[in-house]
Amino acid sequence: MTTTSPTAPVLRTDYQRSVAAYWDTHQNDSVNLLLGEVDGIYHHHYGVGPYDPAVLQGPEATRDQRIIEELHRLESAQAELVLDHLGPLTPADHVLDAGSGRGGTSFMAHARFGCRVDGVSISQYQVDFATAESARRGTADQVRFHFRNMLDTGLATGSRKAVWTNETTMYVDLAEAFAEFARLLEFGGRYVCVTGCSNDVTGGRSQAVSRIDSHYTCNIHPRSAYFAALAANGLVPIDVIDLTRQAIPYWELRARSSVATGIEESFLTAYREGSFHYLLIAADRA
C-alpha cells in the first residue's frame, strides 16, 4: 500500500489536539470496551434497527449483559450497512477507514471482501490499539492503522476504491475532508458516510443538538453542508438513506443499560423533534 509523508503535522489545531488528547486519556471508556468485548469487534459509533424485546425479560442478574450484547449487535448492524454500500470490492482493492477508532469496521470490511484496509486516526492510542488487534488477528499485512489526519492522509492519489467515514465528519471541516477523499478515490470509486446532522428546515441548532455537540466536543454540521461539500468535490450522491427512525431504538435501549451516560435523552429528543437527522450517504467519484 503506497504511502507518502503528510504535508502538515498530524495535529494541526488546538481543537484537534484536544480531541486527540481526549481519546488518548480515556482509554477505559466503558461503552466501547464493554460492547467490543462481546466478540472482539470494537466500534466507535451507534446502532440502527429494532432491538429484541426479549433482552429485557428473563433473569434480572443477566439483564444488563443481554442489553450490552444487543447494543453491540445493533452497532454491528450499522457497520454492515456501511459495507453494503461500498460497492463490489475484491481482495485486490485498497480502501480507507477515515477516523478508524479501534478498528471495528476495518476488520469487518477485510473479513467480508478480503480487501486491503488503511485506517487513520488522530489518536495515537486508538492507532496502537487497532494495530495490536490486527496483529492478534493475523491481518497486520492487510489491515493497517496510521497516526494520520484524515484531512492529509499521505496516501497516494487515486489509490482507493472506497473510502468511508462512520460518525467522524462532525470533527472536521467538510470541504477539506471531501477534497482529500476525492483525491484518494479512483474515478468511479465510492465514498460512504454515516453521520448525524442538524436539520436546516428547523432553523438553527436546537438545544438537544447543542447538548450533543458539547458532550462530545464536536461540531455537528447542517444537512445541507454535506451535499454542498460533496458537489464541490465531484462526489455525486447515489444513495441517501434517512436512518433517523431506525436510530431511536438503540438510544431507548441504551438509556436502560449500565453504560448510559446521560446523553441518551438528548439524542432521543433531537431525533423525535426532527432537529437532528441520522443519514447514510453513498457518493461516487466523478
Side-chain angles (χ1 to χ4, degrees), residues 233-252:
N233 289 285
L235 296 168
V236 182
I238 189 170
D239 257 327
V240 179
I241 303 174
D242 185 351
L243 298 170
T244 305
R245 303 308 301 178
Q246 295 183 54
I248 290 175
Y250 171 88
W251 291 101
E252 290 176 332

Side-chain angles (χ1 to χ4, degrees), residues 25 32 212 263:
T25 57
N32 296 316
I212 295 168
I263 198 60

Side-chain angles (χ1 to χ4, degrees), residues 43-143:
H43 295 303
H44 278 269
H45 57 78
Y46 308 125
V48 294
Y51 64 81
D52 182 354
V55 302
L56 299 176
Q57 303 164 4
E60 183 66 25
T62 57
R63 177 177 178 271
D64 193 63
Q65 183 57 34
R66 293 194 301 274
I67 293 176
I68 294 295
E69 292 173 0
E70 185 68 355
L71 289 172
H72 183 67
R73 184 187 69 80
L74 295 175
E75 291 188 359
S76 292
Q78 191 259 46
E80 293 286 3
L81 196 59
V82 172
L83 302 184
D84 289 344
H85 286 80
L86 290 179
L89 295 174
T90 72
D93 291 324
H94 292 195
V95 301
L96 173 67
D97 184 350
S100 49
R102 289 187 175 95
T105 310
S106 294
F107 294 122
M108 291 175 67
H110 177 68
R112 183 192 287 200
F113 303 112
C115 56
R116 298 186 177 189
V117 185
D118 284 292
V120 297
S121 171
I122 61 172
S123 165
Q124 185 66 63
Y125 161 71
Q126 289 183 344
V127 170
D128 292 344
F129 185 102
T131 297
E133 280 294 296
S134 196
R136 183 183 67 80
R137 292 168 175 273
T139 59
D141 60 334
Q142 299 288 315
V143 185

Side-chain angles (χ1 to χ4, degrees), residues 165 167-170 193-197 226 277-281:
T165 52
E167 297 182 11
T168 59
T169 48
M170 61 285 295
C193 170
V194 171
T195 189
C197 53
Y226 281 89
H277 288 167
Y278 196 52
L279 298 185
L280 182 147
I281 304 168

Side-chain angles (χ1 to χ4, degrees), residues 176-198:
E176 286 189 83
F178 290 176
E180 174 68 350
F181 302 156
R183 182 187 71 80
L184 293 171
L185 284 168
E186 62 180 53
F187 180 78
R190 176 68 54 83
Y191 169 58
V192 177
C193 170
V194 171
T195 189
C197 53
S198 59

